[in-house]
PDB file of all heavy atoms in Angstrom:
ATOM      1  N   ALA A1470     -23.608   1.079  59.990  1.00  0.00           N
ATOM      2  CA  ALA A1470     -24.946   0.469  59.896  1.00  0.00           C
ATOM      3  C   ALA A1470     -24.839  -1.025  60.059  1.00  0.00           C
ATOM      4  O   ALA A1470     -25.648  -1.688  60.740  1.00  0.00           O
ATOM      5  CB  ALA A1470     -25.598   0.786  58.554  1.00  0.00           C
ATOM      6  N   ASN A1473     -24.544  -2.304  63.526  1.00  0.00           N
ATOM      7  CA  ASN A1473     -25.821  -2.287  64.198  1.00  0.00           C
ATOM      8  C   ASN A1473     -26.790  -3.335  63.643  1.00  0.00           C
ATOM      9  O   ASN A1473     -27.952  -3.372  64.029  1.00  0.00           O
ATOM     10  CB  ASN A1473     -26.476  -0.900  64.078  1.00  0.00           C
ATOM     11  CG  ASN A1473     -25.910   0.088  65.038  1.00  0.00           C
ATOM     12  OD1 ASN A1473     -25.550  -0.261  66.159  1.00  0.00           O
ATOM     13  ND2 ASN A1473     -25.707   1.321  64.592  1.00  0.00           N
ATOM     14  N   THR A1481     -26.084  -2.032  48.766  1.00  0.00           N
ATOM     15  CA  THR A1481     -26.209  -0.990  47.706  1.00  0.00           C
ATOM     16  C   THR A1481     -24.832  -0.534  47.195  1.00  0.00           C
ATOM     17  O   THR A1481     -24.590  -0.454  46.029  1.00  0.00           O
ATOM     18  CB  THR A1481     -27.041   0.190  48.222  1.00  0.00           C
ATOM     19  OG1 THR A1481     -28.362  -0.252  48.589  1.00  0.00           O
ATOM     20  CG2 THR A1481     -27.136   1.281  47.159  1.00  0.00           C
ATOM     21  N   ARG A1489     -28.922 -12.149  49.450  1.00  0.00           N
ATOM     22  CA  ARG A1489     -27.776 -12.704  50.218  1.00  0.00           C
ATOM     23  C   ARG A1489     -27.747 -12.088  51.577  1.00  0.00           C
ATOM     24  O   ARG A1489     -28.118 -10.904  51.803  1.00  0.00           O
ATOM     25  CB  ARG A1489     -26.428 -12.453  49.495  1.00  0.00           C
ATOM     26  CG  ARG A1489     -26.310 -13.234  48.220  1.00  0.00           C
ATOM     27  CD  ARG A1489     -24.915 -13.109  47.617  1.00  0.00           C
ATOM     28  NE  ARG A1489     -23.893 -13.802  48.383  1.00  0.00           N
ATOM     29  CZ  ARG A1489     -23.635 -15.100  48.332  1.00  0.00           C
ATOM     30  NH1 ARG A1489     -24.363 -15.882  47.548  1.00  0.00           N
ATOM     31  NH2 ARG A1489     -22.678 -15.615  49.036  1.00  0.00           N
ATOM     32  N   LYS A1492     -22.703 -10.456  56.768  1.00  0.00           N
ATOM     33  CA  LYS A1492     -22.325 -10.418  58.153  1.00  0.00           C
ATOM     34  C   LYS A1492     -20.886  -9.951  58.298  1.00  0.00           C
ATOM     35  O   LYS A1492     -20.027 -10.358  57.511  1.00  0.00           O
ATOM     36  CB  LYS A1492     -22.457 -11.797  58.781  1.00  0.00           C
ATOM     37  CG  LYS A1492     -23.859 -12.351  58.834  1.00  0.00           C
ATOM     38  CD  LYS A1492     -24.645 -11.713  59.897  1.00  0.00           C
ATOM     39  CE  LYS A1492     -26.029 -12.319  60.039  1.00  0.00           C
ATOM     40  NZ  LYS A1492     -26.807 -11.731  61.156  1.00  0.00           N
ATOM     41  N   ALA A1504      -4.559  -9.037  63.365  1.00  0.00           N
ATOM     42  CA  ALA A1504      -5.966  -8.645  63.457  1.00  0.00           C
ATOM     43  C   ALA A1504      -6.768  -9.269  62.325  1.00  0.00           C
ATOM     44  O   ALA A1504      -7.889  -9.718  62.486  1.00  0.00           O
ATOM     45  CB  ALA A1504      -6.102  -7.121  63.423  1.00  0.00           C
ATOM     46  N   SER A1585     -20.569 -12.774  52.909  1.00  0.00           N
ATOM     47  CA  SER A1585     -21.993 -12.981  52.517  1.00  0.00           C
ATOM     48  C   SER A1585     -22.232 -14.445  52.289  1.00  0.00           C
ATOM     49  O   SER A1585     -21.296 -15.230  52.052  1.00  0.00           O
ATOM     50  CB  SER A1585     -22.298 -12.142  51.258  1.00  0.00           C
ATOM     51  OG  SER A1585     -21.789 -12.796  50.068  1.00  0.00           O
ATOM     52  N   MET A1600     -31.422 -26.304  66.975  1.00  0.00           N
ATOM     53  CA  MET A1600     -31.609 -27.726  67.253  1.00  0.00           C
ATOM     54  C   MET A1600     -30.567 -28.260  68.242  1.00  0.00           C
ATOM     55  O   MET A1600     -30.890 -29.072  69.124  1.00  0.00           O
ATOM     56  CB  MET A1600     -31.509 -28.495  65.929  1.00  0.00           C
ATOM     57  CG  MET A1600     -32.662 -28.274  64.977  1.00  0.00           C
ATOM     58  SD  MET A1600     -34.237 -28.932  65.597  1.00  0.00           S
ATOM     59  CE  MET A1600     -33.947 -30.702  65.460  1.00  0.00           C
ATOM     60  N   GLU A1638     -32.430  -5.603  71.430  1.00  0.00           N
ATOM     61  CA  GLU A1638     -31.932  -6.949  71.619  1.00  0.00           C
ATOM     62  C   GLU A1638     -30.836  -7.005  72.654  1.00  0.00           C
ATOM     63  O   GLU A1638     -30.740  -7.936  73.478  1.00  0.00           O
ATOM     64  CB  GLU A1638     -31.482  -7.520  70.315  1.00  0.00           C
ATOM     65  CG  GLU A1638     -32.631  -7.914  69.366  1.00  0.00           C
ATOM     66  CD  GLU A1638     -32.096  -8.590  68.125  1.00  0.00           C
ATOM     67  OE1 GLU A1638     -30.872  -8.862  68.028  1.00  0.00           O
ATOM     68  OE2 GLU A1638     -32.937  -8.923  67.240  1.00  0.00           O
ATOM     69  N   TYR A1642     -30.996  -8.955  76.313  1.00  0.00           N
ATOM     70  CA  TYR A1642     -29.949  -9.926  76.695  1.00  0.00           C
ATOM     71  C   TYR A1642     -29.339  -9.562  78.037  1.00  0.00           C
ATOM     72  O   TYR A1642     -29.177 -10.404  78.928  1.00  0.00           O
ATOM     73  CB  TYR A1642     -28.879  -9.979  75.597  1.00  0.00           C
ATOM     74  CG  TYR A1642     -27.686 -10.841  75.948  1.00  0.00           C
ATOM     75  CD1 TYR A1642     -27.765 -12.211  75.925  1.00  0.00           C
ATOM     76  CD2 TYR A1642     -26.457 -10.267  76.276  1.00  0.00           C
ATOM     77  CE1 TYR A1642     -26.693 -13.016  76.236  1.00  0.00           C
ATOM     78  CE2 TYR A1642     -25.357 -11.048  76.604  1.00  0.00           C
ATOM     79  CZ  TYR A1642     -25.491 -12.420  76.556  1.00  0.00           C
ATOM     80  OH  TYR A1642     -24.394 -13.185  76.926  1.00  0.00           O
ATOM     81  N   GLN A1645     -31.581 -10.384  80.977  1.00  0.00           N
ATOM     82  CA  GLN A1645     -31.611 -11.768  81.348  1.00  0.00           C
ATOM     83  C   GLN A1645     -30.302 -12.231  81.986  1.00  0.00           C
ATOM     84  O   GLN A1645     -30.303 -13.066  82.871  1.00  0.00           O
ATOM     85  CB  GLN A1645     -31.973 -12.617  80.109  1.00  0.00           C
ATOM     86  CG  GLN A1645     -33.301 -12.297  79.477  1.00  0.00           C
ATOM     87  CD  GLN A1645     -34.451 -12.266  80.489  1.00  0.00           C
ATOM     88  OE1 GLN A1645     -34.512 -13.101  81.369  1.00  0.00           O
ATOM     89  NE2 GLN A1645     -35.254 -11.249  80.403  1.00  0.00           N
ATOM     90  N   LYS A1669     -21.173 -24.705 112.342  1.00  0.00           N
ATOM     91  CA  LYS A1669     -21.615 -24.424 113.667  1.00  0.00           C
ATOM     92  C   LYS A1669     -22.075 -25.725 114.360  1.00  0.00           C
ATOM     93  O   LYS A1669     -21.749 -25.987 115.511  1.00  0.00           O
ATOM     94  CB  LYS A1669     -22.790 -23.459 113.649  1.00  0.00           C
ATOM     95  CG  LYS A1669     -23.319 -23.068 115.019  1.00  0.00           C
ATOM     96  CD  LYS A1669     -24.429 -22.079 114.873  1.00  0.00           C
ATOM     97  CE  LYS A1669     -24.983 -21.672 116.284  1.00  0.00           C
ATOM     98  NZ  LYS A1669     -26.073 -20.705 116.162  1.00  0.00           N
ATOM     99  N   MET A1677     -19.565 -30.960 122.623  1.00  0.00           N
ATOM    100  CA  MET A1677     -20.285 -31.895 123.412  1.00  0.00           C
ATOM    101  C   MET A1677     -19.444 -33.187 123.650  1.00  0.00           C
ATOM    102  O   MET A1677     -19.425 -33.756 124.755  1.00  0.00           O
ATOM    103  CB  MET A1677     -21.576 -32.297 122.765  1.00  0.00           C
ATOM    104  CG  MET A1677     -22.602 -31.156 122.694  1.00  0.00           C
ATOM    105  SD  MET A1677     -24.111 -31.542 121.774  1.00  0.00           S
ATOM    106  CE  MET A1677     -24.767 -32.849 122.840  1.00  0.00           C
ATOM    107  N   ALA A1681     -18.116 -34.633 127.194  1.00  0.00           N
ATOM    108  CA  ALA A1681     -18.394 -35.999 127.652  1.00  0.00           C
ATOM    109  C   ALA A1681     -17.106 -36.704 128.074  1.00  0.00           C
ATOM    110  O   ALA A1681     -17.070 -37.483 129.044  1.00  0.00           O
ATOM    111  CB  ALA A1681     -19.078 -36.775 126.505  1.00  0.00           C
TER     112      ALA A1681
END
Side-chain angles (χ1 to χ4, degrees):
N1473 282 323
T1481 298
R1489 292 187 70 81
K1492 296 284 185 178
S1585 77
M1600 291 293 290
E1638 287 187 2
Y1642 173 75
Q1645 300 311 316
K1669 182 179 179 180
M1677 293 176 63

